[in-house]
Amino acid sequence: MKGKPRPPASADQALQAMDRMIALAQFGQQDIAARLGLNVTDLTCLGFVIEAAQQGQPLAAGDLAERAQLTTGAVTGVLNRLEKAGYARREPDPGDRRRVRVTMAPDAQDRILRVYGPFYARLGALFADYTPDEVAVLADWFTRARAAMADSLAEVREPADER
């Protein structure tokens, strides 16, 4: 499969396009969260629950706190709201009764896909315009950019006197 011709772009133009997409996504997450009856933090945490479910990995409440960079107390509030909204459940960890696993509620994925489905369909159509090699470059770039962002955020979060 041959890729389509692409307009030339500099790194600065790509960064500007990325910044605009991130800004739109941030505002969009507020709208999506509201549509699902959640706040943005709860929606972000729900994303981690979905990811763990898709990977077939158990997600402990403490792991969720770490991934979301929240205190365990804050995650308790998140889980209370996700359970009340019918998106997640807490279950005892069969290997350690002191731990709680977070799982998706039975119909949660269907409810979420009603909101995200059209967007993912549009992205799927967009990816179809790229060759497998181009998609591999995009996936590599997103993965590496996420790592670079995580490193940068760790620096930003450092207390000023430790820099």
Side-chain angles (χ1 to χ4, degrees):
M1 178 174 158
K2 186 177 180 192
K4 293 183 176 186
R6 309 283 177 215
S10 68
D12 284 343
Q13 289 169 319
L15 284 172
Q16 184 178 17
M18 180 192 69
D19 284 344
R20 297 292 49 91
M21 185 187 74
I22 290 171
L24 179 63
Q26 286 178 319
F27 289 118
Q29 286 297 89
Q30 294 173 15
D31 296 335
I32 290 167
R35 173 69 63 91
L36 293 170
L38 302 171
N39 64 47
V40 173
T41 299
D42 295 351
L43 179 61
T44 300
C45 289
L46 180 57
F48 291 126
V49 174
I50 293 167
E51 183 180 338
Q54 288 174 338
Q55 294 172 354
Q57 297 177 346
L59 181 65
D63 296 335
L64 179 58
E66 185 177 312
R67 289 181 191 181
Q69 297 191 359
L70 297 171
T71 65
T72 54
V75 164
T76 297
V78 167
L79 294 177
N80 288 343
R81 290 186 297 274
L82 289 177
E83 280 186 317
K84 183 177 180 183
Y87 291 109
R89 295 186 311 206
R90 283 178 261 211
E91 299 175 354
D93 185 325
D96 184 346
R97 302 187 104 192
R98 296 168 295 171
R99 290 172 51 109
V100 173
R101 286 186 179 176
V102 183
T103 61
M104 294 278 292
D107 72 336
Q109 187 149 354
D110 291 338
R111 293 170 52 207
I112 295 163
L113 283 176
R114 282 196 291 272
V115 176
Y116 275 102
F119 174 59
Y120 285 160
R122 287 181 183 100
L123 289 180
L126 184 60
F127 279 123
D129 280 347
Y130 292 85
T131 67
D133 287 343
E134 289 173 322
V135 172
V137 168
L138 291 168
D140 175 66
W141 191 91
F142 281 118
T143 300
R144 293 172 59 201
R146 182 189 175 282
M149 182 178 282
D151 290 344
S152 295
L153 289 174
E155 291 171 1
V156 167
R157 291 175 178 140
E158 263 181 28
D161 59 340
E162 292 183 23
R163 287 187 223 149

